[in-house]
């Protein structure tokens, strides 16, 4: 098979095929006497699988699992994909929680699972599912202004601060712009959650799409694994 034909069928460039080869994502590609790459149906199946997995799992994970596929480490591959799906589910739960906290009834006194009136930065990070360094960065940008303990100067985060952290992480994942985040937070301060909820719902819709892409990628991978198993049985 010609690389150009595979590339065209996948709507990518031949240089992309060569990158995948250089990264060790496909089985060894032999060369003809004239030096041209000789692609087989097996290589085509690997390239198809790579392209199917990228939308749902990202290139970084694909670069980890495809060498394992070649080594026949099926369970290692499946557990890595399972971890990614667990992270996706956790992200959806966090965004869904953000949507619930943006209900008008919760704008004044949002309730948290911990039921506390104040939180340390570590506890706030755990509640909002972000890193403490991210919280410090957002504070530096003026997006959040926690209270300070008068005796030691440590930060104190109130339930309203946790809500803001949830909104910041959700909005920034969708629009990436701190100016938009500032606008949304300003609206929240005026008890207007409309735009924040719209963006959070967009995020939920995006995560639904990622889930669909993940399942498509897994189906293509399973087909590749089944083909490899049949090949082994014939050898």
């Amino acid at each position: 098979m010609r690389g150009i034909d595979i590339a065209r069928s996948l709507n990518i460039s031949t240089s992309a095929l060569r990158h995948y080869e250089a990264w060790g994502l496909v089985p060894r590609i032999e060369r003809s006497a004239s030096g041209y790459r000789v692609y087989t149906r097996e290589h085509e199946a690997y390239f198809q699988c790579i392209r199917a997995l990228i939308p749902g799992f990202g290139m970084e994970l694909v670069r980890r699992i495809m060498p394992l596929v070649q080594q026949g480490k099926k369970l290692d591959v499946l557990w890595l994909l399972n971890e990614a799906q667990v992270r996706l589910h956790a992200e959806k739960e966090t965004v869904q929680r953000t949507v619930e906290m943006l209900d008008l009834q919760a704008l004044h006194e949002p309730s948290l699972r911990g039921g506390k009136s104040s939180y340390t930065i570590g506890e706030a990070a755990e509640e909002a599912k972000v890193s403490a360094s991210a919280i410090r960065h957002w504070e530096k940008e003026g997006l959040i202004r926690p209270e300070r303990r008068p005796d030691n100067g440590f930060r104190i985060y109130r339930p309203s601060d946790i809500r803001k952290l949830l909104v910041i992480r959700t909005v920034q994942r969708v629009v990436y712009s701190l100016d938009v985040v500032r606008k949304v937070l300003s609206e929240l301060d005026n008890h207007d959650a409309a735009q924040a909820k719209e963006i959070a719902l967009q995020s939920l819709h995006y995560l639904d799409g990622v889930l669909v892409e993940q399942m498509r990628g897994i189906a293509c991978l399973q087909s590749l694994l089944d083909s490899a198993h049949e090949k082994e049985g014939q050898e």
Side-chain angles (χ1 to χ4, degrees):
M1 300 182 67
R2 298 190 309 166
I4 186 65
D5 295 326
I6 297 175
R8 285 174 178 168
S9 69
L10 297 174
N11 196 30
I12 58 176
S13 65
T14 54
S15 62
L17 300 185
R18 290 193 290 271
H19 282 311
Y20 300 156
E21 177 188 358
W23 294 335
L25 307 189
V26 298
R28 178 183 174 83
I29 299 173
E30 301 295 338
R31 298 270 187 160
S32 67
S34 55
Y36 290 107
R37 291 174 173 82
V38 179
Y39 295 97
T40 66
R41 290 295 179 187
E42 181 184 24
H43 293 123
E44 182 183 29
Y46 268 85
F47 287 128
Q48 289 173 342
C49 186
I50 291 168
R51 298 303 299 178
L53 287 167
I54 289 174
F57 295 99
M59 194 67 231
E60 181 180 349
L61 183 57
V62 171
R63 291 185 66 170
R64 291 180 63 191
I65 67 173
M66 294 310 292
L68 296 175
V69 172
Q70 297 175 64
Q71 296 167 29
K73 297 181 178 179
K74 178 179 178 179
L75 289 178
D76 290 345
V77 170
L78 295 180
W79 279 118
L80 285 172
L81 296 180
N82 179 261
E83 284 181 19
Q85 292 201 294
V86 169
R87 289 194 298 270
L88 182 69
H89 185 268
E91 177 68 9
K92 181 180 180 181
E93 285 191 327
T94 301
V95 176
Q96 184 64 57
R97 183 175 169 220
T98 304
V99 173
E100 293 169 357
M101 291 186 71
L102 287 170
D103 287 338
L104 291 179
Q105 295 89 340
L107 283 177
H108 298 283
E109 290 296 336
S111 59
L112 298 174
R113 288 170 294 188
K116 300 171 62 174
S117 61
S118 65
Y119 297 79
T120 65
I121 188 170
E123 292 169 337
E126 175 61 26
E127 284 286 341
K129 304 303 179 187
V130 296
S131 65
S133 60
I135 296 177
R136 294 189 186 97
H137 172 69
W138 293 335
E139 181 181 351
K140 183 178 179 181
E141 292 289 341
L143 301 178
I144 187 169
R145 297 180 178 84
E147 300 174 31
R148 296 275 185 166
R149 294 188 185 278
D151 54 342
N152 55 24
F154 289 170
R155 296 171 177 83
I156 304 173
Y157 295 87
R158 302 297 183 185
S160 58
D161 294 318
I162 306 299
R163 184 193 67 215
K164 282 190 174 182
L165 292 175
L166 285 165
V167 169
I168 292 169
R169 75 181 295 281
T170 299
V171 172
Q172 198 167 21
R173 277 167 166 75
V174 175
V175 298
Y176 304 106
S177 169
L178 287 181
D179 289 337
V180 175
V181 174
R182 289 189 181 92
K183 182 175 182 294
V184 170
L185 293 178
S186 176
E187 292 173 352
L188 277 181
D189 288 338
N190 293 320
H191 308 303
D192 182 0
Q195 186 177 13
K197 287 187 71 172
E198 180 182 352
I199 293 174
L201 291 171
Q202 288 176 14
S203 183
L204 283 177
H205 181 69
Y206 167 77
L207 294 174
D208 287 342
V210 173
L211 175 62
V212 172
E213 293 293 348
Q214 286 188 348
M215 299 312 295
R216 287 174 178 164
I218 289 173
C220 189
L221 175 65
Q222 186 61 57
S223 177
L224 179 64
L225 292 172
D226 289 344
S227 297
H229 181 70
E230 291 176 4
K231 181 180 178 182
E232 290 175 359
Q234 296 171 358
E235 292 178 351

